[in-house]
Amino acid sequence: MSVLPLVFTSGWASGINAYAVVLLLGIFGRTGLTDDVPASLQRTDVLVVAAVLFLCEAIADKVPYMDSIWDTVHTVIRPVSGAVIGALLAGQSGSLSDITAAAVGGSTALASHFVKAGTRMAINTSPEPFTNVGMSIAEDLGVAGLVTFAMFNPEAAAIIAAVLLAAGLAILIFLWSRIRRFLRRRAQRREEKRLAAEARETTGAPPR
């Protein structure tokens, strides 16, 4: 059976929380739940690092504006993780070339990352923090649930991931005006900080 559905699902999940994907796949492999996980993802050092980074993301992802900064930093990390995981899964299965799997996993992760980052920008136009927390919990549960489901029914999981990705892109287009508002506010805050720093330098006032 082709590993492509699992590669696609793991790519979608990596675009949302790559560390959770590595941690879950590694645990599934270590516990013998599946033989599709390569040994490199089951190593103790990999699991420990993934667990620590997952906890860091779990905190940063629930703080308004901090979540968008975290997303910006992971614009490269998540797609690369999706590509690497896809290539490793393909190498373990032998039913798909590593290059093809890396392309599918990386591109899917990039698309889902943009959905997540854009949605968070739109949410951050609201002053209350509860939506951020709720969205973060929903994303973590969605990743855990779908990756787990993919171990038992990869084709159905891939279909669900594709539907979620398409729906997310549609929502992102709908929320584009709010995202632009967020970007303008962030640019304005940066400009205000720059002007305040220049004013302090001019007047000789101590930095705050």
Side-chain angles (χ1 to χ4, degrees), residues 138-157:
E139 289 170 349
D140 292 341
L141 292 176
V143 167
L146 200 55
V147 171
T148 302
F149 183 54
M151 294 294 101
F152 303 96
N153 200 328
E155 290 82 6

Side-chain angles (χ1 to χ4, degrees), residues 107-118:
S107 59
T108 306
L110 181 62
S112 63
H113 165 75
F114 279 138
V115 170
K116 172 175 179 168

